[in-house]
Amino acid sequence: MAQGYEDGLRPVPERGADDGDTRSLALLMHAAFFLLLGASLARFLLRHPGEARTPWLIGLSVALAALYVIGPVLGSRPTARSLVWLGGLVVVWMVVVVLAPSFAWCAVPLFYTGLRILPPRAAYALVALLTLFVVAAQLRLAHGFDPNLVLAPPAVAAVATAVFVHMRRQAARQGRLIDDLLRTRRELAATERREGTLAERQRLSMEIHDTLAQGLSSQQMLLQAADRTWDTDPAAARRHIRTAGGIAERNLAEARRFVHDLAPADLAEGGGLDAALRALAARETAQAQGRLTVRCHIEGAPHTVLPDRTQSALLRIAQGALANVTEHAGATEAALTLTHLDDRTVLDIADNGHGFTPTAAGSQGGVRGHGLPAMRARLHQLGGTLTIESAPGEGTVVTATVPAAPALQDPPPQDSA
């Protein structure tokens, strides 16, 4: 049905969850109407054969059936056409009842039709009118006054009306519940999309910081060094430029990898995290041109293959930490140590640089910038931890630890440190 009345006060659309029950009830009422109509006509023909009113009664019964068939086509909204149809249907039924009181029980399906189409007060008035006709018809058929014939039709009408109103109110409440659930689902989906977008932005910012931004910074340093030595030492200047070109080529590979699947280029080349860290150490040593030597040590072997997300995060952390060593530590030696334990994987990045006091500038390790917060965010998503050990003049050790089977977590809010 197209429309009902919520709690007997205002119209509400019927919901998809109740469409099946509503259609079943409508079909049952339609079948009951035609069954009662046919039984009443058969009773009249058997008990009153050959009477003058018989042709009229047959014609009106056919007209009543035809009118009833039109109803579902008009729908159940209280439009002008449906109201005229309902009025005509009731009038024809009343005429039939006047001619043959046995047709009175066809009123029960008409109760449903009126309650389905009319506003509550008008529907209740129609039910009362139909009930009075049923009572009058039953008294005409009786040989004397029978209290049961006076009380039974109102009781049946009251029960039928109460059941219908209760079902309609239940449908309205279920409809509101479905609306609330759908709205909540849409809100949750929108929230998840926003959180996913923010997490992806944060991840991309970390990827760019650990690769392209660090590479561009190294290129800038090399080109500045080449500019300073261009006249006094052309060979050194050319070496700086060639090294800067190699970094640019590497950054281009990383940029293409971002477009493809955002996996680190070293990992995409095969060999896993061990080979990628060795390649990173060799590349950093070559780019430093004697100012910094980076060594790589692998201890143990993983019992299971590390997930791609874990390998990518540890490689990015190593890249970021070595970039900090190159730019800030003034170190001559650095070491990457990857240790595979039974329950966790540990990556240490140690240098012999200036060092610092980790608590001097807050919980982010005493260093301003995006690098350390990005490392912490990566490890937080993997259920891991980041620790920093350093002191002025004693170098620095950055330790990243991830569990063997990391449980992914939501990224923490990115701070500005």
Side-chain angles (χ1 to χ4, degrees), residues 146-211:
D146 186 349
N148 189 49
L149 297 179
V150 176
L151 299 177
V156 172
V159 171
T161 303
V163 170
F164 181 85
V165 171
H166 175 73
M167 291 178 60
R168 183 55 55 85
R169 291 178 177 175
Q170 285 290 102
R173 283 192 285 270
Q174 290 179 5
R176 291 194 298 271
L177 177 61
I178 291 172
D179 285 344
D180 291 341
L181 291 175
L182 291 176
R183 181 172 61 254
T184 301
R185 187 171 67 178
R186 288 193 296 268
E187 291 173 354
L188 287 175
T191 300
E192 290 176 357
R193 285 194 295 271
R194 287 193 297 269
E195 291 178 351
T197 300
L198 292 175
E200 185 65 11
R201 288 178 179 174
Q202 183 183 27
R203 188 172 72 90
L204 285 174
S205 69
M206 293 187 296
E207 296 283 351
I208 293 172
H209 174 271
D210 292 341
T211 56

Side-chain angles (χ1 to χ4, degrees), residues 348-368:
D348 295 308
I349 305 97
D351 68 76
N352 64 348
H354 303 314
F356 60 92
T357 303
T359 58
S363 62
Q364 296 301 332
V367 178
R368 298 176 60 84

Side-chain angles (χ1 to χ4, degrees), residues 49-394:
E51 291 192 7
R53 56 179 172 166
T54 299
W56 288 97
L57 198 58
I58 294 175
L60 288 172
S61 297
V62 173
L64 187 62
L67 275 174
Y68 195 88
V69 169
I70 297 174
V73 178
L74 299 177
S76 61
R77 294 181 180 276
T79 60
R81 291 192 302 173
S82 63
L83 294 178
V84 170
W85 166 80
L86 180 60
L89 183 68
V90 171
V91 169
V92 173
W93 173 80
M94 288 180 175
V95 174
V96 172
V97 172
V98 170
L99 293 176
S102 59
F103 283 80
W105 287 108
C106 292
V108 175
L110 295 182
F111 291 164
Y112 170 79
T113 303
L115 290 168
R116 182 169 55 90
I117 294 178
L118 295 176
R121 292 183 180 179
Y124 301 153
L126 177 62
V127 170
L129 177 62
L130 297 178
T131 304
L132 289 176
F133 257 75
V134 172
V135 172
Q138 293 302 304
L139 290 176
R140 283 180 59 191
L141 290 174
H143 297 293
F145 179 78
D146 186 349
N148 189 49
L149 297 179
V150 176
L151 299 177
V156 172
V159 171
T161 303
V163 170
F164 181 85
V165 171
H166 175 73
M167 291 178 60
R168 183 55 55 85
R169 291 178 177 175
Q170 285 290 102
R173 283 192 285 270
Q174 290 179 5
R176 291 194 298 271
L177 177 61
I178 291 172
D179 285 344
D180 291 341
L181 291 175
L182 291 176
R183 181 172 61 254
T184 301
R185 187 171 67 178
R186 288 193 296 268
E187 291 173 354
L188 287 175
T191 300
E192 290 176 357
R193 285 194 295 271
R194 287 193 297 269
E195 291 178 351
T197 300
L198 292 175
E200 185 65 11
R201 288 178 179 174
Q202 183 183 27
R203 188 172 72 90
L204 285 174
S205 69
M206 293 187 296
E207 296 283 351
I208 293 172
H209 174 271
D210 292 341
T211 56
L212 300 182
Q214 300 292 0
L216 291 172
S217 177
S218 298
Q219 291 177 56
Q220 182 184 32
M221 295 173 58
L222 288 168
L223 292 175
Q224 289 173 348
D227 182 63
R228 289 193 299 268
T229 60
W230 188 264
D231 295 326
T232 58
D233 192 351
R238 283 192 293 272
R239 286 196 302 272
H240 292 323
I241 292 176
R242 284 194 297 270
T243 303
I247 297 175
E249 181 179 0
R250 196 72 193 173
N251 277 5
L252 179 60
E254 290 286 0
R256 289 171 175 167
R257 185 58 56 186
F258 289 160
V259 174
H260 183 258
D261 59 4
L262 295 179
D266 287 328
L267 291 176
E269 293 174 355
L273 180 61
D274 297 357
L277 291 175
R278 291 190 180 96
L280 173 64
R283 187 166 59 252
E284 292 292 332
T285 299
Q287 292 172 1
Q289 296 185 350
R291 298 186 306 275
L292 174 67
T293 300
V294 182
R295 295 182 174 83
C296 180
H297 306 282
I298 308 297
E299 298 181 0
H303 295 279
T304 59
V305 178
L306 292 176
D308 292 341
R309 188 183 180 101
T310 301
Q311 296 188 52
S312 177
L314 292 177
L315 178 58
R316 295 307 190 198
I317 289 171
Q319 290 174 330
L322 288 179
N324 288 338
V325 171
T326 301
E327 295 181 22
H328 307 296
T332 58
E333 293 184 357
L336 297 176
T337 303
L338 181 67
T339 305
H340 298 288
L341 302 175
D342 291 341
D343 58 344
R344 63 190 183 277
T345 301
V346 182
L347 174 65
D348 295 308
I349 305 97
D351 68 76
N352 64 348
H354 303 314
F356 60 92
T357 303
T359 58
S363 62
Q364 296 301 332
V367 178
R368 298 176 60 84
H370 183 77
L372 291 178
M375 295 179 196
R376 294 183 191 277
R378 289 182 186 278
L379 291 170
H380 176 83
Q381 295 177 33
L382 298 172
T385 59
L386 181 74
T387 58
I388 301 173
E389 299 177 6
S390 183
E394 297 185 9

